[in-house]
Every structure is written in C-alpha cells, then in structure tokens.
Amino acid sequence: MVMRAMILATALSMAPAAQGMAATQDPIAVARSIDIEADPAGAVAAWQAALPAARARFRATPAELGQVLVRYGSALIGVGRDKEALPLLEEAAPLLAVLPPDDPARLTGAIALALGRASAGRTAEAVAMLEEVAAIQRAAAPGGSTALAETLFNIGSVEQQAGHLSTAAERVEEALALHRRLSPPDAEVTVGTATSLSSIYTQAGLLAKAEDVARDALAMAARGLPQDHPLTMITLSNYAAVLDTQGRWRESEPLYRRLLPLRIAKLGKEAISTAITESNFGRALRLSARPEEALPLLEESVRVAERKLGASDPRLNQFRENLADDYRDLGRLADAVALRRQAIAAFRVDFPRHFRLASLQEGLSGDLAALGDMAAARAEIEQAQAIRHATLAPDHPALLGGEIAAGHLLARAGDGTAGLARALPAYRRLAAIANANQTEISRDLVFRGAFETMARLAWLTQDQPLALDVAQRLVIGDSGRAITAALARGRSEQAQRVRARQDATARRAALSRVALERYGRDSAGYEAALAEIAKIDAAMTGQTEATRDMIVDMDGLRGTLDRGQAQLYFVQLDDRLLSLAVDRDHVAFGDSAIGDRALHGLVAGLRGSIDTGQQARGAIADGGEAPTYDGDAAARLYDLLLHGAPRRIAEHNPRWRIATSGSLLAVPFAALVTQRPAAGRAPRWVIDDHAILLAAGGSSPDGASPGSGRFVGIGAPLLKGSATGGARTYRDAGGVVRDIAALAPLPGAAHELAAMRAKIGGPDSVVLLGADATEAAVRGTRLTDVRVLTFATHGLVAGDVTGLLEPALVLTPAAQGDADDDGLLTASEIAQLTTDAALVVLSACDTAAGDSRDAPALSGLARAFFYAGARSLLVSHWPVRDDIAARITVAVARDGRAAPEERLRRAILDIRRDRRMAGADRPETWAPFTLVSR
C-alpha cells in the first residue's frame, strides 16, 4: 500500500494546478486537476477521456505525451489495474528518452515503469532500473536528496516483493535516514517510510526492530497528523499487525477497535481501507481462537473488495485467503478449498508468479491434505515452491517454510526418508535465522507455522533427535527468553555491560506498554514515554549482545537426568497434542487428536472449577459454597497428555521435568487424576506418585543446587483492609481496587517468614516486614549470595489495580506519594534487580500468571525474576490460603538432601493427611504451588 502511494505521489509532483475555467473545457486540464492519490478512480476516467486529445496535441512533443502516459498509468495502478498500466508506461519510456538523463520527468517515468514491471513480477529488471535512477540522483546530489530517498524506498519495496529482505531493509533504512535529515520533522513521507520498514522487519522475523520502528512511525503521525488522517490510520494498523505477528492479540485488539470506527467515519464502510482493517482485525480474532467472531468481518472485507477491486488484485485475494483460513478453522474445509481455488484462478491471470499466489497454493495444499487428497495437495505445494524458488531469496522464511511443508507431505505419502531429506536443510537454516534474530518461536507467526510442521514430520517419522530439537524450540516462551538473557551475561568482565543493555531493553519494553496505553488518550504521558524511549535508544546505539542457544541434543539432555527422572515435552498444535517422553534409557512419542481451542477450553474449565469461588472471595474470609474441583476434566487431560508408551515411561519414573507452553502452562499438573474414583476408592492424583518440576527454559536446568547462602524474606505489608471473621485469608487482590493500601492484611505472612528464617538461618539473613517492606528497602537490600528469597504478600496482574499495566507484588506504600516507592513492585522493576537466589518463593496469589488475566502463564512475575538471575521459583496458580502458604513454602525452602520438587511433594502429602486442617484433602487447597526451574 505504501509503495503504491509513493508511485502516485511521484506522478502528482509533475502535475500543474488547473487554472480558471480551463478545467471545465480542456480534458487534459480536467485530468491534471484530479488528485490521483485521493481519487484514483476519478483520475482513471479523466485520463482515459483525455488520452485521445493528448495524442493529437503532443504529436510533435513526445516528452509531453510521455508524461501524460505516466500519469494515466499511475492512476490505473492506484485502482489495482496494474496489467493495463504497464503498456502505457512502456510506451512512455522511449518518449521520455529525448529528455536529459537527469531530467525529473524522465526519472519519474523510469521509476513508474520500474514499479509497473515489478507489479508484473519482473523484479530483477525493476531493481536494475531503479538502481540506475539512484546512481543519477547520487551524482546530482552527493549529500543525498529527498528524491534519492524516494527511489531507495522504491528499491526496498521491490526487493521486499522479491523476498530479498536484508537488501530491502538496507535500502529503506537509508531512505528513512535521508528523510529524517532532509525532510521536515515528522513529515508524511518519513512516517510512510518508517511504516514500510517496519513491515519488512516483520516479514524477516525481526519483530523487536519492527515494533520499535512501527511505534516510532505512530509517534511521528501522532505529533503531526490528526488521528483520522489516512496515514495515521495506516501506521496504527501497521502497529497492530506487528503485535499480531508476535501473538499479542490482547494488545492489538483495542487498536483495531479504535481504528475501525475512525476509518468508517472518515472513508465509509465501502472503502478499501476500511476493508483492510476489517480483514486484519478478523485475522487477529481468528488467530486468538475466535473464528466465529472473525467471520462477519472477514466476509464483509471480501464483499467490499469484490465490488471495488479487480478480480486479480492482490488485496482482494489476501482478503480471500484470510477468509479461507477462517473457514478452515470453523471446519468448513469445502468452503475454504472453493474460495482458495477462486482466488488462485483470478490471481494467475495477471500475477502468475506473485508471492501471494504461492501462499494461496500452500494454504490450498493444507486444506486438500486435511481432506485426504494427498496427490492434489503435493501438486499445489510444488507449484507454490516453484514460484518461491523463482522469485524469493534463498533464506526467505516463506520459501524455507514451504520446503518443510513439502517434506511433510512426502512423508505423509509414505516416503519419510525423502521427506526428511527435503525438509531438514530448510529447518536448520530457519532455526539458525531464528536464533540469530533472537526470535521467540512460540509467539512469532512468521516462524511458528514452519516449526509446527517440522514437529509433525518428526513425530510422523519417529525421528528422535529432530523431535527433541523442535520440541525445545516450540516450548521456549517468555521465561525461556529471560533465562537466555540471564545466561548470556555469564561471569566475564563484559557481564556488567551486557546486563546494562538488557536492563535498558526491559525498561524500554515497559515504556512501550505505557506509550501504547496512553496513545490518543493522554498526549503528555505519551510524549513523556516516547522521550524516555529515545534516551534509551541513544544510550544503546552501537551496543551488541551475545546470545546462547539453549537447545540440547539427546546425549546432553540425558546427562542432566537422574535415574528415576523423566523429561516430558507437551507441544500443542492447532489440531493435536504431541508428547515426547525421555528418560536415561528410553524415548517415546505420543499424539492426541485434540484442537487447540478444545484443549484451551478443557484447561480453562479445569482452572475455572478452582478459581471461581476463591476469586470471588479474594482477600475476604473463606465462606459460602466451596467450588467443586472438576476431577473428570483432570482425568481427561491426563489421558490426553500421557497415554501409551509415553505414559509407561512417565509412570515408571517418580520425578518429572515438564516443558510446555501456551495454555498448558496453566495446568496444575500435581492435581491431574491418574485413576478415577471407584466404589470405595478415592481418585489417585499425579502428586501421589510423582514430584514435578516445570522447566521454563524448555530443555534442562542449569545445574544450580540450593547450596549455602543467606535467607532474605520480604512481606506482610501494612495494609488497611480487613478479613472478616478471622477465618482463612487468601493472597489475592479480589478484583480491581483503586488503592492498594485498602487490600486485606496477611497475618500469616509474618509467621511464615519467621519460620523460614528459623529453618534456613544464617547471620546475614534479612527479613523486611510491615513498615520496612517497601520498594526502597528491597532495592537497598543485597540480593546476591542468597539461597532463598521469599515474598509473602498479595500478587497482582495488569488491571487488578487502577492504572496497573503489568504484574506486581504488593509492598508497603510510602507515607508520602512517591512513584518509585508506591507499594507496587512491578515486573519491570523486578527485572532491574540482581539476584543469584537458588530459590525464589513467591508466596502470593497467582504468581505463575502472565502479564494479564488472559496472557500466557509464566510471562509475568516469573519471567521478571528469571531475568533478574533467579535459578528456580516456587509460584502459585491461584489464590493461596495463608495457612497453606506458610506450611508449603517453609517445607520447600528448608535445606535437605531431597530435590526441591520432592520436598514440595512431601509437603503436599503432609497437608492432605492432616485431618485437623479444614479442606486439606481438596486440590484447591493443596495444589496451588508449582516449582519452576531455569
């Protein structure tokens, strides 16, 4: 879209303004008076009417006729009629050749022709022409010019179309630098160039850079343009798309909900820009497992585009592809196939080698394979790959992903050896690119689809080394990235510089959330956040950071396993759940046919049977009807996760180390049912026979052991709320509050910390209680050489307190208002701490939660503590009773020969046997805590 607008802007720069009444009498003047960018359809009609007169009038002045042809061609491109535009632009080229090589009109014609050829798939010719133009412009203005910047932008756009993403990024980066230096501050052309650069970074999988540039473009638009300006809306849409690609639909959805009414009000429901927003919004809803809600938006976008655009227009066929994907997710495979075939047939007429055609054919291949037509599926993927090999760079993610898909289909057809031979080189290259880009595969849509297909291939061929490799890459999430960052520091003399850069990056991420929240609502707060981001960027200029690939091979993994210990991987795909069980002697594959939506619903139902009653009470005393734990759901989930050979390996080993991602991180594995209740027999739980450790890094712990060291305990903040009746209290905010001081006090927290200090001891131990448990005191306390670091307090997620944008632990607020000592130790502030604690105990509510109530587990406080350097965490999945928290945390934190997860298991079993403790036999009471290791 931005490239098309640049073509039109170039053509407009040639058009003189209409004068007087001439515009009503002269068809050429009428055509010249129309703004091609604002009204391309009107311009097409006017130039079509004016062309005969122009041919007659300019017979003796060919350059004038050439300029008319360029304008007419640009107008046709503006309405998506590229095929009709190209002959006009080709005709114009020799007519303009009579002008000097550096004449602006000749250069404009060359640029328009190059872009017309690019639209026809002749990208190599287009780039060569544009490079010639750029060389002329460089010679004319050695210091650079805005005209050169526009040409570089167009080269980058063509290279992006050709799949040469690194070259595309270089050209557009140079264009952006020139516009920043030579164009007015926050000029529209600068905003558009930054927006395009962000899209290139997104396509290349450089999502952190893409988000930075997209946010910068949005900031420039906000400063210089109204919210309903077309370019502002484009930048807002692009920012939302960057978030979508990272799987951050919770953040992108509000942007779409703000953008769609703006576009309808400004442009109307029938505008193509409105349809683009509807299609993008619908795609985001589909990807967040809401295809029913997405359907009307996607259908409306196709309806509008079919009326407004040509049948082969890439935008229309992108809308059709999004709708076909939704049909597939809804189980309407026949509709998906029909729609893709319609789009492919239309596309082939004008764009037989377009990258979007390849995408449509790969989607059709997947649909046909799902219907069992493997021969047709293989034919479609091979045609798609032929287009990609002819048009894209060898390292383009779409080409590499297509090779993996083709290999998978070969294996499904019965030739696993050929399938692996086809897919493995592409997989290894894609993995190397992801590692170099620090790509978080579990959330990056550019890479995740290819890696999930590779997982299918590994399970299908029972390739153990490959299965282990891809499983690790798919389950490393937010906490895994935090662990990678912590391990990258090492203990070298560069560690301090590496940590400084990581801290700055974490601070930048927090400021980005603030800026996004305040955009369009709080101009001063938005600008303040951007100013702080700019300072961080300036400080980090030129710095680099080493990373470490955390992936281990089979021998490396087994070297970390003790006898009696099994490593279990659970990988959720869109239509099935894969499991891999490994111990010192055996490997086994598991495969359960359940869609991700159904699995998410099962997990949510299980958690809902725990959370509903307690969340309603929050920090208020226990009372009312106790919730009923869904034992049937717990048994069904266990059967899905482990059956056949993986179950035999798991049940043979008393200790489990689990690595997974997504909704499965919210599963209380200890409370899954291994044997259903029968007459006279109680259910048997996983915890009855197995100690569980969650491996956040996806592979294996780093070998840290509790060892010796100090105890540091912080909690029991001074709070003014009350817990009625003196009964048990829960460490939970109990809904949104305006003042954290109004939360209920936690009388058991001080006793818990005192007991832990007595058990762990040490002359240098520190306990901060009540008035001493402040943010300032935490920052002033040395948190290194620590064996156990404990926070016994309330835990919050984004939205629990008015204005809270990230998870936090509650401390005692300062007597006087102080933003740095407000009683909320947020995740971004925790990430700034430095600790080497062998165990961090987060004895608060829901500390395993994500950034918000609907974010992935372990993406909030857990991530922050791992980033700060913690080696293992004891976190909770739901509100924790004060008395239970004290017993479990003291038991786990104390020294002993048993592994920490075994100490947790024994503490839980002791509680379940305690007949004096009300509700001790209920999973809601004994199963909130999970031990997580890096």
Side-chain angles (χ1 to χ4, degrees):
M1 177 186 296
V2 177
M3 182 180 80
R4 194 175 298 270
M6 192 69 76
I7 300 172
L8 303 181
T10 302
L12 282 169
S13 68
M14 302 164 50
Q19 298 180 9
M21 293 298 293
T24 63
Q25 301 169 350
D26 182 355
I28 298 174
V30 169
R32 284 174 168 164
S33 70
I34 296 175
D35 184 330
I36 296 177
E37 187 172 3
D39 185 14
V44 166
W47 281 114
Q48 184 176 12
L51 186 58
R55 291 189 184 280
R57 182 181 305 178
F58 301 131
R59 187 175 293 112
T61 53
E64 290 280 358
L65 177 58
Q67 292 179 61
V68 168
L69 293 169
V70 168
R71 294 175 190 132
Y72 186 14
S74 297
L76 287 167
I77 290 173
V79 295
R81 293 162 61 181
D82 303 54
K83 188 175 181 180
E84 297 172 58
L86 186 56
L88 297 172
L89 298 172
E90 295 281 8
E91 181 185 352
L95 300 177
L96 294 171
V98 301
L99 300 173
D102 60 350
D103 184 279
R106 180 171 175 176
L107 294 177
T108 296
I111 292 170
L113 176 57
L115 296 175
R117 288 177 176 175
S119 295
R122 297 157 60 184
T123 55
E125 297 174 46
V127 168
M129 291 181 66
L130 291 169
E131 291 287 7
E132 288 181 13
V133 172
I136 293 170
Q137 293 169 329
R138 289 186 195 277
S145 64
T146 56
L148 172 61
E150 292 176 5
T151 301
L152 291 170
F153 171 90
N154 286 321
I155 293 172
S157 297
V158 175
E159 294 283 25
Q160 181 184 11
Q161 178 184 337
H164 303 145
L165 300 179
S166 59
T167 304
E170 290 171 4
R171 295 294 185 272
V172 180
E173 285 167 350
E174 185 180 356
L176 183 58
L178 285 171
H179 279 308
R180 289 188 188 278
R181 180 162 59 87
L182 301 173
S183 298
D186 302 331
E188 291 184 28
V189 69
T190 310
V191 177
T193 304
T195 299
S196 287
L197 180 58
S198 173
S199 74
I200 294 170
Y201 287 153
T202 300
Q203 195 174 345
L206 299 170
L207 298 185
K209 295 178 74 172
E211 184 176 353
D212 290 346
V213 177
R215 183 176 49 248
D216 190 29
L218 190 60
M220 289 189 286
R223 287 192 292 265
L225 301 170
Q227 281 198 56
D228 62 350
H229 189 281
L231 190 53
T232 304
M233 291 190 282
I234 288 172
T235 60
L236 191 63
S237 179
N238 182 66
Y239 195 5
V242 173
L243 296 174
D244 286 343
T245 306
Q246 298 177 69
R248 293 163 59 185
W249 304 294
R250 176 180 58 86
E251 296 172 66
S252 70
E253 182 175 343
L255 299 184
Y256 286 123
R257 293 198 182 279
R258 289 161 62 184
L259 177 61
L260 187 56
L262 286 173
R263 280 198 157 156
I264 291 173
K266 183 76 173 181
L267 305 171
K269 284 189 65 64
E270 298 294 310
I272 290 299
S273 292
T274 303
I276 289 171
T277 300
E278 289 173 328
S279 187
N280 288 345
F281 188 12
R283 177 176 178 269
L285 291 170
R286 179 187 71 79
L287 290 169
S288 59
R290 295 150 69 186
E292 295 88 355
E293 192 175 346
L295 185 61
L297 288 166
L298 295 169
E299 289 181 330
E300 177 65 10
S301 70
V302 170
R303 184 193 67 77
V304 170
E306 286 178 340
R307 292 186 56 202
K308 293 283 188 175
L309 302 175
S312 65
D313 190 284
R315 291 166 291 180
L316 166 59
N317 291 296
Q318 173 67 74
F319 299 167
R320 285 171 168 164
E321 183 173 13
N322 288 344
L323 178 56
D325 289 341
D326 201 59
Y327 284 157
R328 180 195 60 212
D329 286 3
L330 290 168
R332 297 169 56 179
L333 280 172
D335 290 335
V337 167
L339 187 57
R340 287 194 218 273
R341 290 196 189 281
Q342 179 187 8
I344 289 168
F347 228 156
R348 279 180 174 151
V349 174
D350 293 328
F351 304 102
R353 298 172 67 188
H354 197 282
F355 72 92
R356 182 60 59 197
L357 175 60
S359 177
L360 279 163
Q361 290 189 280
E362 183 173 352
L364 177 58
S365 173
D367 295 341
L368 292 169
L371 290 170
D373 191 344
M374 298 304 300
R378 288 180 59 192
E380 292 295 337
I381 193 64
E382 293 300 344
Q383 290 179 36
Q385 286 304 96
I387 293 172
R388 288 166 173 159
H389 279 291
T391 59
L392 299 182
D395 279 353
H396 194 286
L399 187 150
L400 296 173
E403 287 298 290
I404 293 171
H408 178 236
L409 287 178
L410 277 171
R412 288 188 64 182
D415 195 342
T417 301
L420 287 169
R422 175 97 182 248
L424 270 173
Y427 172 70
R428 289 175 180 139
R429 184 60 195 141
L430 201 60
I433 294 170
N435 191 55
N437 293 348
Q438 302 181 50
T439 301
E440 187 182 323
I441 294 164
S442 65
R443 295 178 67 175
D444 186 338
L445 300 185
V446 175
F447 288 84
R448 183 173 177 88
F451 280 71
E452 289 185 344
T453 302
M454 202 68 196
R456 295 176 192 274
L457 177 56
W459 260 253
L460 181 63
T461 58
Q462 301 283 284
D463 188 306
Q464 296 177 6
L466 176 59
L468 176 60
D469 188 276
V470 72
Q472 291 175 85
R473 297 183 190 279
L474 284 170
V475 301
I476 294 176
D478 285 329
S479 290
R481 288 289 304 280
I483 294 166
T484 301
L487 294 176
R489 299 169 200 149
R491 297 186 180 275
S492 70
E493 55 190 37
Q494 292 186 348
Q496 188 172 358
R497 290 194 297 272
V498 172
R499 176 63 198 259
R501 175 175 173 79
Q502 293 174 348
D503 287 349
T505 302
R507 172 67 176 154
R508 198 182 195 286
L511 286 167
S512 296
R513 289 192 292 270
V514 172
L516 184 59
E517 173 69 19
R518 294 178 180 175
Y519 175 75
R521 296 186 175 94
D522 175 7
S523 297
Y526 180 68
E527 290 294 333
L530 293 179
E532 289 299 314
I533 289 172
K535 291 179 184 177
I536 292 172
D537 288 343
M540 289 197 301
T541 300
Q543 297 181 19
T544 59
E545 177 185 326
T547 60
R548 168 181 154 187
D549 193 336
M550 299 174 62
I551 307 303
V552 298
D553 61 16
M554 192 66 73
D555 288 340
L557 174 62
R558 282 179 163 152
T560 69
L561 293 174
D562 298 325
R563 286 291 174 189
Q565 186 176 30
Q567 174 79 53
L568 307 177
Y569 294 96
F570 301 117
V571 179
Q572 176 61 46
L573 307 183
D574 60 358
D575 63 342
R576 58 204 328 99
L577 173 63
L578 305 179
S579 60
L580 183 70
V582 182
D583 66 11
R584 294 284 292 271
D585 303 308
H586 308 91
V587 179
F589 294 83
D591 187 342
S592 296
I594 182 171
D596 53 358
R597 296 175 65 206
L599 181 65
H600 179 78
L602 182 59
V603 174
L606 178 64
R607 286 293 304 267
S609 73
I610 302 167
D611 292 350
T612 303
Q614 292 179 355
Q615 289 283 6
R617 290 192 299 275
I620 306 304
D622 199 14
E625 199 64 33
T628 300
Y629 184 72
D630 192 342
D632 183 62
R636 284 187 289 126
L637 187 54
Y638 180 75
D639 290 340
L640 286 166
L641 290 167
L642 290 171
H643 56 87
R647 177 180 288 194
R648 289 192 291 273
I649 290 177
E651 294 185 345
H652 179 72
N653 290 276
R655 291 171 58 201
W656 293 355
R657 200 165 65 201
I658 296 174
T660 190
S661 63
S663 59
L664 290 175
L665 286 171
V667 171
F669 287 97
L672 296 185
V673 174
T674 62
Q675 293 181 18
R676 287 176 168 82
R681 186 186 71 191
R684 192 158 190 85
W685 311 95
V686 166
I687 200 66
D688 287 325
D689 303 293
H690 304 283
I692 299 166
L693 178 67
L694 204 60
S699 54
S700 60
D702 62 3
S705 58
S708 60
R710 304 180 303 127
F711 170 72
V712 175
I714 302 152
L718 294 181
L719 302 170
K720 300 175 182 177
S722 62
T724 61
R728 295 181 298 277
T729 55
Y730 288 87
R731 298 179 183 187
D732 177 38
V736 177
V737 297
R738 294 188 177 276
D739 182 1
I740 63 168
L743 295 172
L746 297 168
H751 169 73
E752 173 186 340
L753 293 173
M756 293 179 78
R757 182 174 191 172
K759 292 284 186 182
I760 299 168
D764 296 329
S765 295
V766 176
V767 174
L768 302 174
L769 298 174
D772 294 327
T774 65
E775 286 186 79
V778 171
R779 283 190 286 268
T781 299
R782 182 168 63 89
L783 301 179
T784 54
D785 297 321
V786 171
R787 189 164 60 128
V788 178
L789 169 62
T790 297
F791 287 84
T793 182
H794 290 294
L796 309 175
V797 298
D800 279 352
V801 171
T802 302
L804 182 62
L805 303 178
E806 56 180 323
L809 294 170
V810 175
L811 299 176
T812 299
Q816 303 297 325
D818 183 347
D820 293 328
D821 202 9
D822 59 3
L824 289 174
L825 186 64
T826 63
S828 58
E829 290 170 331
I830 290 166
Q832 304 300 307
L833 302 174
T834 298
T835 184
D836 58 1
L839 176 65
V840 173
V841 177
L842 301 182
S843 180
C845 155
D846 214 6
T847 49
D851 288 331
S852 69
R853 290 291 177 197
D854 58 349
L858 302 186
S859 65
L861 294 172
R863 173 185 58 191
F865 275 103
F866 278 130
Y867 181 85
R871 287 177 283 172
S872 63
L873 305 174
L874 184 65
V875 296
S876 64
H877 279 298
W878 56 78
V880 184
R881 266 172 48 177
D882 246 7
D883 53 345
I884 297 297
R887 287 188 59 167
I888 288 180
T889 56
V890 170
V892 174
R894 70 188 176 195
D895 197 5
R897 292 185 178 181
E901 63 267 32
E902 181 59 32
R903 296 201 296 271
L904 174 59
R905 174 176 174 269
R906 291 174 185 175
I908 291 173
L909 295 180
D910 286 344
I911 289 171
R912 287 175 54 197
R913 298 187 192 107
D914 191 343
R915 298 182 180 277
R916 297 168 300 173
M917 182 174 285
D921 60 335
R922 301 173 60 84
E924 301 93 320
T925 302
W926 53 257
F929 283 108
T930 293
L931 191 67
V932 189
S933 174
R934 75 180 192 182

